[in-house]
């Protein structure tokens, strides 16, 4: 069965067919953090969702190029830089480092590219120049450059592809300089913001004078620069649909004349203890707040992965306790399997194809994680039953461990265990075997290189591949 995903663009579930004619390579862009504070648990839900999409695609054998931008110049950042009297780099560097550390704590795979807005000012300017040349953008009396929605629509382009907008009822033709604005105003938005005294040292030269880019144009410039004018997947939280993603489409398609993104995926909001998260309600948690309460990144990751990405998820501390108990059940099962299998050689074992197929089928259904967990826990129950009746052989235990390692390519839970073969390395070993079975030797070699970079060497022996520490 093919992978099916809900595409916000068509408002329907569609078969996932990559743009690559060979059907192998996938370009995926996720809107990254604006680095002015620690990311909160709502943000993390979106990033863990992005990680699930990437891991599922890799599990299915696609070669993913994952791009996540770092927004390091934007309205809120400049305000904080002014208030804290620090330099832009010093201020954003601190939160960027924290973000990357948190990403690791939650065991999210690091994106292949993490471009910074401030590192792509020339690309941003050249994209705005294209829009000005095509008559879709204009310099206003305040020195800023705006995107004209009227001119864009006049070219036969659609503004409002992700969200149906009623232009008759809305006040069109207004101009907004702010990056975030209300749905009711279909306003011309700023691409380049002319320098004002409050910006301090944060400005760059441009053909329109000194200033800085708007937030929306940053994502268009960096995504198309790395992934090309058209790419497969664009992800973000549902709060970014309008105006941010709508504006990204307008800017990109306005400049290139080509369809920007094939599939738009949006993660739903998160409630904390049944309420919208807010500092005044005391239910506002950064990842670090939760770690300070004694929870682990793994428990938080598990909890975030229990709900379907398009459902509003109620995140609770009780739920985290539940996550701890569920993980303990898996850990206990796997550690028993390791004891039984001890004398064997995991690398010569093949995973249980039937169970894996069931697991894959649930993910194919628009990433139905609840059904995927049901497959995992039914499997745990059955293994435990076999262990309790002493009817599981060492070979069967090896098969079961191989099955778990395949689940974990998607789940990313990396079981702690006593022997010196980390789960991540084990999972990579299996991914390489799978690639070899598909005769995808390029992918297999890439995984071998990745293992090497992590300090492990894989040797193919008559009994199967063996992993050794370098
Ligand atoms: Zn973005």
């Amino acid at each position: 069965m093919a992978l099916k995903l809900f595409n916000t663009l068509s408002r329907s579930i569609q078969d996932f067919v990559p743009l690559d004619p060979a059907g192998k390579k996938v370009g995926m862009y996720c809107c990254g953090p604006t680095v002015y504070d620690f990311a909160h648990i709502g943000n993390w839900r979106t990033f863990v969702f992005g990680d699930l999409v990437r891991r599922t695609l890799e599990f299915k054998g696609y070669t993913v190029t994952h791009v996540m931008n770092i927004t390091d110049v934007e309205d809120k950042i400049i305000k904080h830089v002014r208030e804290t009297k620090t330099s832009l780099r010093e201020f954003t560097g601190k939160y960027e480092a924290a973000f990357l550390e948190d990403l690791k704590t939650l065991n999210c795979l690091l994106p292949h590219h993490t471009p910074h807005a401030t590192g792509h000012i020339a690309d941003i300017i050249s994209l705005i120049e294209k829009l000005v040349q095509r008559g879709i953008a204009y310099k206003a009396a305040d020195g800023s450059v705006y995107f004209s929605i009227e001119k864009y629509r006049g070219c036969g382009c659609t503004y409002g592809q992700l969200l149906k907008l009623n232009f008759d009822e809305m006040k069109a033709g207004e101009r907004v300089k702010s990056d975030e604005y209300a749905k009711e105003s279909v306003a011309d938005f700023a691409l380049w913001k002319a320098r004002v005294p409050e910006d301090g040292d944060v400005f760059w030269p441009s053909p329109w004078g000194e200033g800085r880019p708007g937030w929306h144009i940053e994502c268009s410039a960096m995504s198309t620069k790395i992934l090309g004018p058209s790419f497969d997947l664009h992800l973000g939280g549902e709060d970014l649909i309008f105006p941010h993603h709508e504006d990204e489409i307008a800017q990109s398609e306005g400049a290139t004349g080509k369809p920007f993104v094939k599939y738009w995926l949006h993660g739903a909001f998160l409630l904390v203890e049944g309420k919208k998260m807010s500092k005044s309600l005391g239910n506002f948690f950064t990842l670090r707040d939760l770690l300070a309460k004694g929870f682990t990144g793994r428990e938080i990751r598990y909890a975030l992965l229990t709900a379907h990405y398009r459902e509003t998820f109620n995140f609770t501390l009780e739920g985290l306790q539940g996550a701890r108990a569920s993980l303990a059940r898996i850990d206990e099962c796997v550690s028993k399997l390791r004891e039984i299998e001890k004398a064997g050689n995991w690398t010569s074992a093949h995973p249980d194809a039937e169970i894996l197929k069931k697991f894959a089928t649930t993910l194919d259904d628009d990433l139905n994680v609840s059904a995927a967990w049901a497959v995992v826990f039914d499997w745990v129950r059955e293994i435990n039953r076999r262990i309790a009746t002493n009817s599981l052989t060492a070979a069967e235990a090896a098969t079961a461990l191989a099955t778990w390692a395949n689940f974990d390519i998607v789940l990313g839970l990396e079981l702690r265990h006593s022997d010196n073969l980390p789960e991540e390395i084990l999972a990579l070993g299996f991914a390489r075997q799978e690639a070899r079975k598909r005769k995808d030797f390029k992918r297999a070699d890439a995984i071998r290189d990745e293992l090497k970079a992590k300090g492990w060497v894989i040797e193919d022996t008559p009994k199967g591949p063996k992993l050794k520490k370098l």
Side-chain angles (χ1 to χ4, degrees), residues 385-401:
R385 193 188 63 77
R386 297 280 312 275
I387 293 173
T389 54
N390 282 327
S391 63
L392 200 80
T393 65
E396 285 170 329
T399 298
L401 286 170

Side-chain angles (χ1 to χ4, degrees), residues 330-349:
I330 298 176
D331 289 358
E332 201 194 332
C333 173
V334 174
S335 82
K336 278 187 200 151
L337 284 173
R338 287 210 174 96
E339 266 171 44
I340 298 169
E341 186 261 358
K342 217 185 255 165
N345 173 17
W346 68 267
T347 45
S348 57

Side-chain angles (χ1 to χ4, degrees), residues 208-241:
W208 315 283
E210 289 170 345
R212 63 184 170 96
W215 172 39
H216 314 305
I217 196 78
E218 295 177 5
C219 279
S220 286
M222 292 186 277
S223 61
T224 54
K225 166 92 180 181
I226 299 169
L227 296 171
S230 303
F231 56 92
D232 300 291
L233 286 160
H234 196 311
L235 276 69
E238 62 181 352
D239 52 327
L240 295 187
I241 294 177

Side-chain angles (χ1 to χ4, degrees), residues 29 31 219 244-245 248:
Y29 186 88
C31 285
C219 279
H244 186 56
H245 288 163
E248 275 193 47

